[in-house]
């Protein structure tokens, strides 16, 4: 059994068969091809500029890398498992194309700093894709809010009807939520945007390299300041996965509401055939499969975070092949999140709100009881706790008579508190309740319009 030619003469025999199965990462890390080529170009140009390799060798290497990029783009590149990873596959092909000069590319570089540079570039782009996906979802939510500024629906606490709100207000709550998710990806991107290239295996290199030049060429803000940290750090991947996890949880919450709202029991929204499926046995069913799958895939993203955190937690400085496990987890989370964001944005844009059903659901449960209590405080000048007791007693009486608060006779209210006047009915309708919530961040249409004006500029 011959040794791997990429390793030179250290090993006299080749790896055991099982090692040929457990060691290769090319099946998944070939996704880093464009990043690997970019890092290699930056490294090559720097080596030539510093006189570490000749200009002619530098040009030959760059030409070979261009040809490899073309082969990959056209599907003509052969990825070989025996070469383990994307880095050795590209290096071996480069040697086939340009000969011995290819071996000079790895001067002052290790696979350790090479792989983490590639990975940081990939995660940086993933942060940008997540931001774009989140903005598209925010825009879809905003568009629904724009159509339903005056659509009244029940607001819930403990899954009980609590107070009336507008559908626009509800949609804009998610705009805020996903805005914070965008902030997390933005923060993660800023922190990861430092270049490990030039840290070599772990201790730096004796060659007179210019790490500032390679960092600038790859659009990093700066080189990392400690070579050991540069090689071993994976908190950038963990932070990205953490942002993915929180975002996936938020998507799950919205998906759960869509599942609930689309049931006949609620009927708040209708999802088209594009985002629902039928039953194999019950012809009347319209199942919100897209929303349910988004909700279900949240566990997958959370699992990716836990898996990588478990890998990293026991590692001493600097590099261990354990870190080969980082990429599949990040790739999986990115693929899952990006798919869910696209599906949710399309589903929100597609849904049709049902204002009549929403309003009907806001009537039971005495959602204007707080407005009654507030009126007692404001007009009758009673302490809120006393007003709360009065309002509770009136609700109990309305329940006994089977009427809503705005239909309860004044005499019934005055039997509980004789100071109550006819003016109380000005605050007991759903519209009056919604319109009265004028505090900053409240559900009054005027406040929601202000809120939407703030986001209109940011989502332009």
């Amino acid at each position: 059994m011959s040794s791997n030619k990429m390793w030179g003469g250290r090993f006299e025999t080749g790896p055991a068969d099982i090692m040929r199965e457990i060691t290769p990462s090319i099946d998944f890390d070939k996704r880093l091809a464009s990043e690997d080529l970019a890092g290699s170009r930056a490294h090559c140009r720097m080596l030539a500029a510093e006189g570490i390799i000749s200009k002619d060798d530098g040009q030959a290497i760059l030409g070979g890398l261009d040809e490899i990029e073309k082969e990959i783009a056209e599907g003509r590149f052969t990825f070989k498992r025996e070469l383990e990873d994307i880095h050795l596959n590209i290096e071996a092909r480069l040697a086939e194309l340009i000969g011995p000069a290819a071996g000079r590319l790895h001067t002052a570089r290790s696979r350790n700093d090479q792989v983490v540079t590639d990975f940081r570039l990939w995660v940086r782009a993933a942060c940008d894709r997540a931001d774009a996906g989140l903005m598209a979802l925010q825009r879809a939510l905003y568009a629904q809010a724009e159509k339903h500024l005056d659509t009244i629906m029940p607001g819930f606490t403990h899954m009980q009807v609590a107070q009336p709100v507008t559908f626009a207000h509800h949609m804009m709550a998610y705009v805020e939520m996903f805005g914070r998710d965008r902030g997390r990806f933005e923060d993660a991107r800023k922190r990861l945007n430092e270049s490990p290239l030039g840290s070599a295996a772990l201790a730096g290199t004796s060659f007179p390299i210019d790490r500032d030049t390679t960092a600038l060429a790859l659009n990093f803000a700066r080189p990392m300041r400690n070579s050991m940290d540069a090689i071993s750090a994976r908190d950038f991947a963990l932070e990205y996965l953490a942002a993915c996890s929180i975002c996936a949880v938020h998507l799950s919450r919205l998906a759960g509401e869509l599942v609930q709202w689309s049931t006949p029991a609620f009927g708040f929204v209708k999802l088209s055939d594009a985002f629902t499926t039928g039953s194999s046995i019950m012809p009347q069913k319209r199942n919100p499969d897209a929303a349910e799958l988004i909700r279900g895939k949240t566990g997958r993203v959370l699992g990716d975070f836990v898996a990588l955190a478990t890998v990293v937690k026991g590692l001493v400085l600097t590099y261990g092949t354990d870190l080969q496990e980082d990429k599949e987890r990040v790739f999986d989370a990115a693929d899952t999140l990006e798919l869910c964001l696209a599906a949710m944005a399309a589903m929100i844009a597609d849904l049709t709100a049902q204002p009549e059903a929403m309003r009907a659901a806001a009537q039971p449960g005495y959602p204007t009881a707080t407005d009654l209590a507030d009126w007692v405080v404001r007009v009758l000048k009673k302490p809120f706790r006393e007003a709360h007791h009065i309002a509770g007693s009136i609700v109990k009486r309305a329940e006994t008579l089977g009427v809503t608060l705005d239909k309860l006779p004044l005499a019934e209210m005055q039997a509980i508190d004789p100071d109550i006047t006819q003016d109380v009915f000005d605050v007991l309708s759903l519209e009056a309740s919604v319109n009265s919530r004028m505090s900053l961040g409240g559900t009054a249409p005027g406040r929601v319009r202000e809120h939407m004006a703030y986001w209109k500029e940011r989502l332009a």
Side-chain angles (χ1 to χ4, degrees), residues 43 46-47 52 105-110 113 198-200 205 207 209:
H43 187 64
M46 180 275 297
L47 291 176
I52 298 171
L105 176 59
H106 212 55
T107 306
R109 185 175 74 169
S110 163
D113 62 334
S199 298
T205 178
F207 290 94
I209 62 173

Side-chain angles (χ1 to χ4, degrees), residues 299-356:
R300 183 169 178 154
V301 178
L302 295 175
D304 289 328
F305 173 81
V306 172
L308 183 54
T310 304
V311 168
V312 174
K313 77 172 186 65
L315 297 185
V316 297
L317 297 182
T318 54
Y319 186 82
T321 310
D322 316 51
L323 291 174
Q324 188 167 292
E325 291 294 307
D326 57 5
K327 284 167 277 305
E328 283 187 284
R329 302 282 63 80
V330 168
F331 294 161
D332 181 71
D335 290 346
T336 302
L337 184 70
E338 289 166 27
L339 175 62
C340 289
L341 284 170
M344 183 60 83
M347 193 161 37
I348 291 295
D350 173 82
L351 70 80
T352 302
Q354 304 294 300
E356 298 82 5

Side-chain angles (χ1 to χ4, degrees), residues 8-292:
R10 170 64 179 84
F11 300 98
E12 295 181 358
T13 61
D17 289 345
I18 193 65
M19 287 296 288
R20 283 197 290 266
E21 293 302 316
I22 197 172
T23 303
S25 59
I26 188 61
D27 294 340
F28 54 86
D29 71 14
K30 61 186 177 184
R31 294 180 65 161
L32 297 174
S34 63
E35 288 78 13
D36 198 69
L37 290 165
S40 290
R41 287 190 180 103
H43 187 64
C44 175
R45 291 188 177 107
M46 180 275 297
L47 291 176
E50 297 301 316
I52 298 171
I53 64 174
S54 70
K55 302 290 185 184
D56 288 345
D57 283 345
Q59 287 302 311
I61 290 168
L62 291 173
L65 294 175
D66 288 345
E67 177 58 28
I68 290 170
E69 182 175 54
K70 186 177 180 182
E71 290 179 356
I72 292 173
E74 294 174 355
R76 294 186 289 111
F77 189 92
T78 301
F79 295 99
K80 300 175 181 177
R81 293 192 89 240
E82 61 268 25
L83 292 175
E84 296 185 5
D85 57 30
I86 186 61
H87 323 296
L88 296 187
N89 268 266
I90 287 177
E91 187 175 338
R93 179 58 180 150
L94 186 64
E96 291 173 355
L97 290 169
I98 69 170
R104 300 190 185 281
L105 176 59
H106 212 55
T107 306
R109 185 175 74 169
S110 163
R111 274 202 303 180
N112 291 356
D113 62 334
Q114 187 179 359
V115 64
V116 74
T117 299
D118 295 356
F119 199 26
R120 281 179 181 264
L121 290 171
W122 197 95
V123 174
R124 187 177 71 185
C127 288
D128 293 339
R129 292 194 302 272
D131 182 76
L134 281 162
M135 177 179 272
L137 175 53
Q138 286 181 299
R139 286 172 173 166
L141 291 160
Y142 183 96
Q144 286 288 353
E146 208 166 29
K147 292 186 287 188
H148 292 285
L149 274 160
D150 298 309
T151 297
I152 292 176
M153 67 177 293
F156 297 92
T157 61
H158 309 279
M159 272 307 297
Q160 306 292 319
V161 174
Q163 292 177 300
V165 296
T166 64
F167 189 55
H169 195 49
H170 201 120
M171 292 292 94
M172 292 305 295
Y174 281 106
V175 171
E176 287 286 339
M177 202 179 294
F178 293 122
R180 292 193 297 276
D181 287 330
R182 291 180 65 190
R184 274 181 276 274
F185 285 110
E186 181 183 359
D187 289 345
R189 191 192 194 283
K190 287 178 182 176
R191 265 184 290 278
L192 72 81
N193 199 33
E194 297 182 333
S195 174
L197 190 58
S199 298
L202 77 158
T205 178
S206 59
F207 290 94
I209 62 173
D210 184 346
R211 294 188 62 211
D212 289 302
T213 293
T214 52
L216 181 63
L218 295 170
N219 293 316
F220 284 116
R222 63 192 70 83
M224 294 185 74
R225 290 179 289 270
N226 183 285
S227 61
M228 296 179 74
D229 177 51
I231 294 307
S232 63
R234 291 299 184 276
D235 54 307
F236 71 92
L238 284 171
E239 187 169 9
Y240 169 75
L241 288 176
C244 287
S245 297
I246 296 171
C247 182
V249 167
H250 288 162
L251 286 170
S252 182
R253 296 183 73 181
L254 178 53
E257 296 213 282
L258 293 179
V259 170
Q260 184 184 77
W261 290 349
S262 62
T263 62
F266 277 76
F268 288 2
V269 301
K270 282 187 178 178
L271 300 173
S272 75
D273 291 348
F275 296 97
T276 58
T277 62
S279 165
S280 63
I281 190 173
M282 295 169 283
Q284 83 282 9
K285 295 286 293 299
R286 183 190 289 267
N287 300 322
D289 281 12
E292 290 173 345

Side-chain angles (χ1 to χ4, degrees), residues 426-442:
D426 292 340
V427 303
L428 295 182
S429 70
L430 296 178
E431 284 78 11
S433 176
V434 166
N435 290 330
S436 72
R437 304 296 168 186
M438 282 296 295
S439 58
L440 181 64

